[in-house]
Amino acid sequence: MDVHAQNTCIICGEHKHEGIHIVSEFICDACEAEMVHTDVQEEKYDFFVHRMKQIWVEKNA
Ligand SMILES: [Zn+2]
């Protein structure tokens, strides 16, 4: 087992070491940075929010 366990980013699906945990989900630093810099008006922001909601709904279903 790797001591430095990697987390699977819920946005890009890649395995990363660095990132943040929101509730029980992991978002890599790259996606987190992109989210922070994404304007609320942009479609991409909706994508992020929608994607996270979907995952949480699925998990709580
Ligand atoms: Zn990511």
Side-chain angles (χ1 to χ4, degrees):
M1 290 291 283
D2 187 357
V3 177
H4 302 286
Q6 291 190 326
N7 299 290
T8 304
C9 174
I10 62 166
I11 303 297
C12 65
E14 290 183 29
H15 299 280
K16 300 286 183 65
H17 288 293
E18 304 294 329
I20 58 168
H21 286 275
I22 297 177
V23 192
S24 61
E25 305 300 345
F26 173 80
I27 298 175
C28 73
D29 56 351
C31 291
E32 192 262 335
E34 200 173 348
M35 287 178 72
V36 169
H37 293 119
T38 300
D39 193 279
V40 179
Q41 302 297 318
E42 292 182 33
E43 282 185 20
K44 209 164 192 180
Y45 185 87
D46 285 337
F47 167 77
F48 282 132
V49 173
H50 182 71
R51 180 134 169 79
M52 284 193 291
K53 277 183 181 174
Q54 258 191 333
I55 289 163
W56 286 328
V57 168
E58 284 172 10
K59 285 213 165 191
N60 294 325

